[in-house]
Amino acid sequence: MVGGSILSLPSAGWRVRHPRNTMKETDIKRLLYVHLLCIFSVILSIFIPSFFLENFSVLETHLTWLCICSAFVTAINLVLYLTVKPNASSKRSSLTHKVSRFLKCCFYILMSCFSFHVIFVLYGAPLIELVLETFLFAVLLSTFTTVPCLCLLGPNIKAWLRVFSRNGVTSIWENSLQITTISSFVGTWLGALPIPLDWERPWQVWPISCTLGATFGYVAGLVISPLWIYWNRKRLTYKNN
Amino acid sequence: MRLGSGTFAACCVAIEVLGVAVFLRGFFPAPVRSSSGTEPRAEPPAPEPSAGASSNWTKLPPPLFSKAVIVLIDALRDDFVFGSKGVKFMPYLTYLVEKGASHSYVAEAKPPTVTMPRIKALMTGSLPGFVDVVRNFNSPAVLEDNVLRQAKAAGKRIIFYGDETWLKLFPKHFVDYDGTTSFFVSDYTEVDNNVTRHLDTVLGREDWDVLILHYLGLDHIGHVSGPDSPLIGRKLSEMDGVLMKIHTSLLSKERGMLLPSLLVLCGDHGMSETGSHGASSIEEVNTPLIFISSAFERKAGGIRHPKHVQQTDLAATLAIGLGLPIPKNSVGSLLFPVVEGKPMREQLRFLHLNAAQLSKLLQENVPLYKKDPGFEQFKMSERLHGNWIKLYLEESSSEVLSHLGAKVLRQYLEALETLSLSLRRQVAPYDTYSMAVGIALVLEVLMLLLLSIPKALCSKAELEVPLSSPFFSLLFYLAFLALSAIHVIVCTSAESSCYFCSVSWLMAGGMMMLMSLLLCAVVSAFTKTSVTMKLSSKTLAHCGSRWSELDLLILSGTVGHVLSLGASSFIEEEHQTWYFLVNTLCLALCQELYSNYFLGADSDSPVEQGLGTAAPALPFTSHRSDVSECDRVHPASAFEMLRDYEKWMVLASPWAVLTCCRLLRSLNQTGVQWAHRPDLGHWLTSSDHKAELSILAAVSLIMIFVLVQRRCSPISRAALALGLVGVYCYRAAIGNVLLPWQPDSKAISKGVVEARFVYIFVLGILFTGTKDLLKSQVAAADCGIQARCLWEVHSGLVLLAALLFRPHNLPVLVFSLLVQALMTKFIWRPLKHDAAEVTMMHYWFGQAFFYFQGNSNNIATVDVSAGFVGLDSYVEIPAVSLTAFATYTGPILWASHLVNYLRSETNSSSSALRHACFCYALMGSVPVGAYIILVTSLRYHLFIWSVFAPKLLYEGMHLFITAALCIFFTAMDQTKLMKS
């Protein structure tokens, strides 16, 4: 274990900057930059393709956008987490271990795509029609949720469950992961609400409103989590960091 | 007085039902009706008015037309005839409209723009409202006076080909008929060929007076591919050909006859831009109405903008044209150009007949009819008419006669217009006072319920209800006085009729008293809560943070559902809301289950990393080693008690429930937007798949037996088995399913014997269950027996539901039992949810199953046939209660399961049932209270009658059912108290 618990209870005469505290603030700064880059990648995925592809628009060529957005977000996530290495605790390991870990990660992503697809169908998505749309939506949601989880926690279901249960987070990275993932889910969930309305808009078609909801939720989570952590930095104590 | 929170909630809901009833009575105005009953009594027609001199023309005038052909094209929008499509695809009709001997109008249909009420409006001339739909729920036949009945009474022979709705509405009216069903929407050629194939023979025949053709194809095309489909043009050309054929044949035959014949083309409703109908957009409301006859003058130039008239005007015009009395409840006025060619005396006579009928209707419906401008105009024109007759009989000069006649005519037409308008308006106004009283009552009850939440859900579940003190408080008397004063002022100054003013003074006084009493109770509860809030604001904040995700989900789901009721689309698609919420609930439960399972209830200490790496991604492939390790870490976990396969089941159960819900969702497509999608229910009920349906029904019945029998006594087990066999026999007898030894059922009976056979077992099971329950209280037997008795009552209800459900819906029952069993065993029991949470989950599932059955917020989806099971003829009380039970089976069975669950699971805490009752009452009454306010504020909304009003009826009925269930809960609670 790298550090003990960060207990930063503000006592009355405590003016000296605690080294842990400064580390936390640099961490938050790093987190903010990472998240800004992620948001940037989402925005890029909207604007970059129109230079290369004709007739590109998020609504009309939705599937293309889904693929591009997923690819961008995955790439940025991978690059960032490899460079920033928030979970520095991972010890040096052999190549075979790394390979198996990588394969496991791929398997997890695949499984998460399939299980999201299954959940969408259970929620009422058509079973046979629009399979590609539904699956690409599942891929997108996986890139917003599963990929960061894998980057941060590795293929480790136990750790995932711990992070997503109450009082289970052990670092600001996990905390921000929790917030972004939950906000992506909530965005997706809220995105389904306008579908039954009779406004007859192009974005009400399945699964566009949900993908847009997921994207907005993800971006909102990326914006909110550093701010939230910054505001609550005094209160937040992480055990077992 | 101290009351248990269950009793308190039951009382509250009962009062709320009263409030909603008053509100409904005010919201749905009584339709305009002639008081002279529905009997086809031959009333003498109004005699011709005459001033002094005797005119003995008291009989009805002779008919204007010998034959009438009515061509009704379903969903014929006005621009299909008068617009560019008409010019392009209906050249013959366009020629007739522009240059031929015809009169064309745009007839405005009133919502609901659905075929059946529109046919009624066309033939009776009245405006069938929602109350009418509810009143005539079980007797589809039109009991009101209508043109067809008058024609039949006058000995006219009527032939009908087309939509079979007519055959249901007017049974035994037609000498020859062929009904086509509008069931298979995707078929738009056969339905019309089935009508057209009769044309050649029937046009050759001489033995009819009225021919009615109802073409469905256009409507079907609209539903499938919308109004801009190329199929529309082809269909319109086909219809043009049909019209040409009829018209030429009529013309060729007319030579030998004294009187000309009449061809009427009309549409029952229009078509919206998406191709559907039912609401009140301009496209749905405007239909063409064209009269074609050689009696009319040929027009020189085309008039491109036809006059707007009401659809109800057809009945009066048709009656006059055929020499029949105008239907009594008709609010339409004669379309004058149709009779223009006649002599002045006859014209005036026709107008007088129409005006006399309308003023009679006005007299019967409006107490202050004498002040009505239409009535005054009518009286004046009648006087003038009398003068004219006098002059006519004295044989005055023709110039004077025509001059005066024209004046009388104008006067009459004005009178007709005003009368018709005020009669139509008579339907419109809301009875605001009754609505306000209802709203006040409902809101007071709601406030009381909401304010007493903290007290009612505390561990003791008892409330202090001050019943005697209000009588001594000043507030009570002040409120009572104020309300009574308002009542007196409103009722004495009321111009329109008001229901709440017409109830007896004693009852009104009682209501006032109740309202002021409730007001006092609300005020006292409010002060009490605010005081306790101040005192314990800290502890409350602490309580707030203790809420789990599940509580948050339930709360936000309930609030979201209530808010969604403000949008018409969300009401139309309310099933989606519930499916969505139930799915989310399952996923939330899944998350809770998994984190409890893998991490234990107190997951403050993170689990070792090594343990998790072996855990697979999906729950279905969980390793046993994992499980045992997990248990070692948390020996206190509730999962310890379960055996291995059960642990596996625990992990799989949320997914199983979700799968069940998904399967059920594809069984019945309801709502509006996606209702036309193919679903399993339609596939099963089509006659080609009878064998599949039979197998499914048999398997479902066996599954029901397997799922229900495990907790029954041997006797009721046998009764249940026999009853379920009886259900299958009943379905076989009425021809829904096949018996293996009788592959082709020869005679389809009503299955009265079989159904009554099942009823005996239902009653037997219910009776023995109740009897044992009561006995166990007296004898202070143990809880096991009580739980078994309650289960027997539940199984009796299941059997009844199995009898009443259509065979393709039996899987709904199976899955409901399955989901109940799974949730009880693998979710609620291990996770130890408290009574309130379990109640709300039951409520949500009950709502979802209400829609899984195929219900929607549209009156049309109520399965009326359930009311006729086992009855020879329509008997009101059993039929209505059986229909209500069949419609609300989902909520009722889930509530009954809730009682069972709480009685068998939570024996330790005595307040569980009371909490459950309170929560159930709250969940039921919050949407109603909010919805009533919403409807009141949206009462001039475009969709008020097509979307919001039916939902209001559903909500009212649901509240009534909730009240009954709460009383049942309380009774169970009381029996428990007696025992302890």
Side-chain angles (χ1 to χ4, degrees):
Chain A
M1 295 295 148
V2 175
S5 58
I6 304 168
L7 290 168
S8 51
L9 288 172
S11 57
W14 206 34
R15 293 266 185 263
V16 189
R17 280 210 156 189
H18 200 271
R20 298 261 180 264
N21 229 8
T22 51
M23 191 184 119
K24 201 170 175 186
E25 271 173 16
T26 47
D27 251 11
I28 292 175
K29 221 171 256 171
R30 274 164 74 200
L31 183 78
L32 183 68
Y33 292 142
V34 167
H35 280 191
L36 283 178
L37 278 173
C38 287
I39 295 172
F40 192 58
S41 75
V42 172
I43 294 171
L44 277 187
S45 78
I46 296 171
F47 291 110
I48 289 273
S50 52
F51 294 117
F52 303 104
L53 302 169
E54 274 180 43
N55 307 327
F56 176 83
S57 78
V58 172
L59 290 186
E60 275 153 36
T61 52
H62 194 68
L63 294 184
T64 329
W65 177 73
L66 281 183
C67 297
I68 292 169
C69 186
S70 311
F72 269 57
V73 172
T74 314
I76 286 276
N77 260 309
L78 282 176
V79 169
L80 283 176
Y81 280 105
L82 284 178
T83 51
V84 177
K85 278 206 200 314
N87 48 348
S89 65
S90 65
K91 47 197 173 284
R92 200 170 276 273
S93 51
S94 65
L95 188 70
T96 48
H97 186 246
K98 271 184 180 163
V99 168
S100 78
R101 204 175 151 84
F102 177 73
L103 286 180
K104 216 179 249 172
C105 281
C106 292
F107 175 72
Y108 268 47
I109 291 179
L110 211 60
M111 284 317 287
S112 90
C113 291
F114 281 119
S115 41
F116 279 136
H117 190 111
V118 168
I119 288 174
F120 297 151
V121 171
L122 288 176
Y123 259 102
L127 185 65
I128 300 158
E129 309 150 46
L130 302 173
V131 175
L132 189 63
E133 277 87 346
T134 311
F135 187 73
L136 283 179
F137 172 34
V139 170
L140 185 81
L141 194 57
S142 297
T143 56
F144 289 158
T145 57
T146 319
V147 170
C149 280
L150 281 172
C151 287
L152 193 66
L153 305 170
N156 182 344
I157 282 285
K158 270 278 145 65
W160 294 20
L161 277 170
R162 171 176 59 77
V163 169
F164 292 106
S165 60
R166 194 169 285 227
N167 304 327
V169 288
T170 57
S171 72
I172 56 166
W173 295 97
E174 290 182 358
N175 205 332
S176 75
L177 180 73
Q178 196 186 27
I179 292 171
T180 42
T181 310
I182 288 176
S183 69
S184 307
F185 283 135
V186 171
T188 316
W189 194 83
L190 292 176
L193 298 186
I195 294 178
L197 290 171
D198 57 355
W199 301 338
E200 320 220 335
R201 295 294 152 88
W203 49 266
Q204 278 182 299
V205 182
W206 170 260
I208 297 179
S209 64
C210 286
T211 54
L212 294 182
T215 315
F216 283 127
Y218 179 61
V219 170
L222 290 176
V223 173
I224 288 167
S225 62
L227 299 178
W228 191 82
I229 290 169
Y230 182 73
W231 256 288
N232 293 297
R233 66 190 184 282
K234 295 275 165 59
R235 249 182 348 95
L236 290 172
T237 57
Y238 300 113
K239 296 171 192 169
N240 260 340
N241 195 10
Chain B
M1 193 172 79
R2 288 198 80 77
L3 272 180
S5 53
T7 323
F8 170 72
C11 294
C12 282
V13 180
I15 296 172
E16 206 176 349
V17 168
L18 186 71
V20 170
V22 172
F23 178 85
L24 285 180
R25 190 63 182 72
F27 186 79
F28 292 104
V32 179
R33 282 289 170 274
S34 170
S35 62
S36 48
T38 56
E39 298 306 310
R41 248 184 311 130
E43 270 179 50
E48 193 172 36
S50 53
S54 61
S55 144
N56 49 5
W57 197 15
T58 54
K59 274 195 241 140
L60 273 177
L64 306 178
F65 306 103
S66 60
K67 276 185 197 301
V69 179
I70 303 169
V71 179
L72 200 165
I73 301 176
D74 215 289
L76 188 65
R77 205 159 86 173
D78 61 338
D79 67 322
F80 288 168
V81 174
F82 304 126
S84 60
K85 278 206 181 91
V87 176
K88 196 168 162 197
F89 298 111
M90 304 186 91
Y92 188 74
L93 188 64
T94 310
Y95 165 75
L96 283 180
V97 166
E98 288 185 354
K99 305 234 166 65
S102 70
H103 295 294
S104 38
Y105 302 94
V106 172
E108 188 187 325
K110 289 270 181 249
T113 46
V114 185
T115 301
M116 191 182 75
R118 292 303 99 221
I119 294 175
K120 275 192 185 175
L122 284 171
M123 287 297 119
T124 61
S126 62
L127 293 168
F130 280 88
V131 177
D132 204 60
V133 175
V134 175
R135 275 188 190 164
N136 297 339
F137 225 15
N138 297 296
S139 57
V142 175
L143 299 174
E144 275 176 65
D145 196 6
N146 59 66
V147 178
L148 291 187
R149 173 190 283 172
Q150 294 289 1
K152 192 176 168 240
K156 303 221 181 252
R157 286 148 302 172
I158 315 169
I159 292 184
F160 171 76
Y161 300 116
D163 186 1
E164 62 180 2
T165 312
W166 286 76
L167 306 179
K168 288 181 198 151
L169 289 175
F170 307 103
K172 297 177 189 160
H173 280 62
F174 308 114
V175 290
D176 189 9
Y177 58 84
D178 181 17
T180 56
T181 172
S182 66
F183 187 70
F184 302 104
V185 173
S186 50
D187 161 39
Y188 45 82
T189 40
E190 278 301 305
V191 271
D192 288 352
N193 289 345
N194 278 343
V195 179
T196 312
R197 66 183 169 155
H198 296 286
L199 265 187
D200 284 323
T201 43
V202 84
L203 289 176
R205 278 159 59 178
E206 295 290 330
D207 59 340
W208 53 268
D209 304 294
V210 181
L211 172 65
I212 302 173
L213 306 171
H214 186 149
Y215 282 98
L216 280 168
L218 190 65
D219 185 45
H220 287 187
I221 293 176
H223 280 298
V224 173
S225 48
D228 298 320
S229 152
L231 293 169
I232 295 272
R234 239 177 287 160
K235 182 54 79 178
L236 289 179
S237 313
E238 183 193 331
M239 291 296 119
D240 197 42
V242 168
L243 284 172
M244 182 156 83
K245 188 183 215 173
I246 299 172
H247 191 224
T248 44
S249 149
L250 286 179
L251 284 182
S252 69
K253 269 204 253 162
E254 241 171 45
R255 297 199 184 109
M257 277 186 285
L258 253 71
L259 288 171
S261 48
L262 174 70
L263 172 60
V264 182
L265 171 73
C266 57
D268 55 347
H269 50 74
M271 189 187 285
S272 72
E273 279 311 311
T274 55
S276 66
H277 55 88
S280 49
S281 67
I282 291 180
E283 293 87 7
E284 285 161 275
V285 161
N286 283 348
T287 62
L289 175 61
I290 300 171
F291 295 87
I292 304 162
S293 172
S294 54
F296 306 146
E297 267 176 45
R298 281 179 167 272
K299 272 172 277 184
I303 308 164
R304 284 270 37 138
H305 297 290
K307 207 178 139 196
H308 277 252
V309 295
Q310 293 295 315
Q311 210 177 27
T312 44
D313 295 344
L314 177 68
T317 312
L318 211 57
I320 296 279
L322 293 171
L324 305 168
I326 299 172
K328 280 181 209 129
N329 297 327
S330 160
V331 297
S333 53
L334 172 68
L335 296 173
F336 182 69
V338 173
V339 297
E340 222 166 11
K342 289 276 146 187
M344 180 61 89
R345 189 179 178 187
E346 280 185 38
Q347 286 181 22
L348 290 181
R349 176 83 175 120
F350 291 138
L351 289 172
H352 175 245
L353 278 174
N354 193 191
Q357 174 259 334
L358 286 180
S359 66
K360 186 155 173 269
L361 195 61
L362 191 74
Q363 273 180 46
E364 282 161 355
N365 283 286
V366 186
L368 301 165
Y369 64 92
K370 279 195 179 137
K371 282 188 197 157
D372 193 275
F375 191 76
E376 282 167 10
Q377 280 172 1
F378 166 64
K379 281 293 160 204
M380 188 144 86
S381 31
E382 203 174 31
R383 226 174 20 251
L384 276 175
H385 188 184
N387 289 339
W388 188 87
I389 294 290
K390 196 170 149 197
L391 285 178
Y392 179 82
L393 292 177
E394 284 165 5
E395 287 171 29
S396 303
S397 68
S398 62
E399 198 182 324
V400 173
L401 273 180
S402 69
H403 187 70
L404 186 63
K407 201 177 156 195
V408 179
L409 210 70
R410 261 202 317 279
Q411 192 80 36
Y412 261 130
L413 286 175
E414 265 171 39
L416 274 182
E417 202 172 314
T418 327
L419 275 171
S420 172
L421 192 68
S422 61
L423 275 168
R424 267 183 280 134
R425 263 214 211 113
Q426 190 57 36
V427 188
Y430 297 101
D431 179 355
T432 325
Y433 182 50
S434 307
M435 275 161 71
V437 170
I439 290 178
L441 211 55
V442 170
L443 282 191
E444 279 174 349
V445 170
L446 200 62
M447 284 299 289
L448 200 58
L449 275 174
L450 286 175
L451 284 173
S452 52
I453 289 177
K455 277 262 179 70
L457 292 185
C458 71
S459 54
K460 266 181 92 183
E462 275 187 339
L463 292 166
E464 189 70 48
V465 182
L467 274 185
S468 52
S469 57
F471 283 106
F472 305 108
S473 77
L474 187 62
L475 180 66
F476 171 74
Y477 289 105
L478 279 179
F480 182 62
L481 262 177
L483 286 174
S484 311
I486 291 171
H487 185 73
V488 169
I489 290 170
V490 169
C491 290
T492 46
S493 67
E495 280 167 11
S496 59
S497 63
C498 162
Y499 169 71
F500 200 62
C501 291
S502 62
V503 300
S504 73
W505 283 96
L506 210 63
M507 220 145 88
M511 285 284 277
M512 298 296 154
M513 208 111 101
L514 189 64
M515 278 167 73
S516 28
L517 205 64
L518 281 171
L519 187 69
C520 288
V522 169
V523 168
S524 81
F526 186 73
T527 49
K528 257 186 217 165
T529 354
S530 58
V531 166
T532 46
M533 277 273 240
K534 259 179 210 156
L535 283 178
S536 61
S537 56
K538 255 190 184 170
T539 47
L540 233 100
H542 180 65
C543 279
S545 67
R546 243 184 37 237
W547 279 22
S548 69
E549 290 90 348
L550 195 71
D551 294 334
L552 274 178
L553 172 69
I554 289 176
L555 187 75
S556 57
T558 310
V559 171
H561 167 245
V562 169
L563 290 181
S564 80
L565 293 179
S568 60
S569 328
F570 277 129
I571 292 180
E572 283 172 347
E573 312 289 335
E574 201 191 341
H575 57 290
Q576 303 279 10
T577 312
W578 286 113
Y579 299 165
F580 195 66
L581 286 179
V582 163
N583 267 334
T584 312
L585 177 71
C586 282
L587 286 180
L589 284 174
C590 183
Q591 189 263 341
E592 198 182 337
L593 208 59
Y594 281 25
S595 62
N596 267 334
Y597 187 91
F598 288 111
L599 302 169
D602 47 351
S603 62
D604 276 350
S605 63
V607 191
E608 301 89 317
Q609 304 275 306
L611 193 103
T613 43
L618 273 180
F620 305 107
T621 51
S622 119
H623 278 256
R624 198 170 295 168
S625 62
D626 236 16
V627 171
S628 58
E629 216 161 355
C630 207
D631 280 346
R632 202 154 33 78
V633 178
H634 310 287
S637 161
F639 302 104
E640 175 89 335
M641 275 106 68
L642 301 171
R643 271 165 291 169
D644 280 343
Y645 86 94
E646 282 176 333
K647 283 173 187 154
W648 194 86
M649 280 302 294
V650 164
L651 294 181
S653 57
W655 302 100
V657 172
L658 281 171
T659 318
C660 288
C661 291
R662 184 63 179 87
L663 285 176
L664 286 179
R665 180 198 270 256
S666 52
L667 186 64
N668 287 309
Q669 288 279 6
T670 72
V672 174
Q673 274 193 53
W674 296 283
H676 60 274
R677 289 267 183 93
D679 57 13
L680 276 176
H682 280 111
W683 186 81
L684 284 167
T685 41
S686 74
S687 52
D688 301 340
H689 304 112
K690 223 173 183 180
E692 286 90 337
L693 183 64
S694 310
I695 293 167
L696 183 75
V699 170
S700 302
L701 289 173
I702 293 167
M703 286 289 289
I704 290 171
F705 178 71
V706 170
L707 285 167
V708 172
Q709 55 90 25
R710 64 204 158 89
R711 284 162 65 186
C712 286
S713 68
I715 299 173
S716 48
R717 201 173 293 168
L720 186 69
L722 282 173
L724 290 173
V725 171
V727 169
Y728 194 84
C729 294
Y730 168 71
R731 288 293 161 191
I734 64 168
N736 283 339
V737 295
L738 301 169
L739 283 174
W741 53 90
Q742 285 183 302
D744 45 341
S745 53
K746 41 208 182 316
I748 290 169
S749 70
K750 283 174 109 180
V752 175
V753 180
E754 288 88 345
R756 287 187 182 166
F757 175 77
V758 182
Y759 279 137
I760 291 170
F761 287 112
V762 171
L763 290 177
I765 294 172
L766 286 178
F767 177 73
T768 49
T770 322
K771 193 195 74 184
D772 290 350
L773 198 65
L774 293 175
K775 210 156 81 184
S776 71
Q777 260 123 47
V778 179
D782 65 334
C783 292
I785 293 181
Q786 284 212 356
R788 205 203 64 212
C789 300
L790 267 176
W791 185 262
E792 277 178 11
V793 174
H794 183 63
S795 62
L797 293 179
V798 170
L799 181 57
L800 182 61
L803 176 66
L804 298 181
F805 269 16
R806 295 192 175 219
H808 75 272
N809 263 343
L810 284 173
V812 178
L813 206 55
V814 176
F815 281 126
S816 125
L817 291 168
L818 194 68
V819 169
Q820 284 167 358
L822 282 174
M823 297 286 274
T824 305
K825 194 152 183 201
F826 301 117
I827 295 179
W828 292 321
R829 209 177 287 171
L831 288 182
K832 296 199 176 69
H833 287 122
D834 66 5
E837 283 171 340
V838 171
T839 308
M840 300 200 188
M841 287 187 238
H842 270 91
Y843 180 85
W844 281 20
F845 271 101
Q847 289 293 314
F849 273 84
F850 175 76
Y851 294 102
F852 284 141
Q853 281 170 240
N855 287 322
S856 70
N857 283 328
N858 184 345
I859 298 283
T861 51
V862 174
D863 181 13
V864 189
S865 70
F868 290 90
V869 173
L871 299 176
D872 273 322
S873 58
Y874 175 64
V875 193
E876 190 165 357
I877 292 170
V880 168
S881 44
L882 283 178
T883 311
F885 179 80
T887 311
Y888 285 93
T889 303
I892 291 174
L893 282 186
W894 276 87
S896 136
H897 182 264
L898 175 64
V899 175
N900 270 294
Y901 173 77
L902 291 176
R903 284 303 284 273
S904 62
E905 299 300 318
T906 52
N907 274 316
S908 49
S909 70
S910 62
S911 54
L913 252 173
R914 292 189 207 165
H915 286 168
C917 182
F918 185 81
C919 286
Y920 203 85
L922 197 64
M923 295 287 274
S925 50
V926 166
V928 178
Y931 191 65
I932 280 185
I933 296 170
L934 271 176
V935 162
T936 313
S937 56
L938 295 175
R939 64 190 182 281
Y940 298 114
H941 192 277
L942 189 60
F943 295 153
I944 189 73
W945 296 113
S946 56
V947 177
F948 291 104
K951 172 66 182 159
L952 186 63
L953 289 177
Y954 271 105
E955 279 294 331
M957 192 61 205
H958 186 227
L959 188 73
F960 183 73
I961 300 268
T962 309
L965 289 172
C966 282
I967 290 166
F968 175 63
F969 282 19
T970 317
M972 287 297 122
D973 190 40
Q974 296 301 324
T975 56
K976 191 163 187 175
L977 278 184
M978 268 163 59
K979 208 193 98 200
S980 58

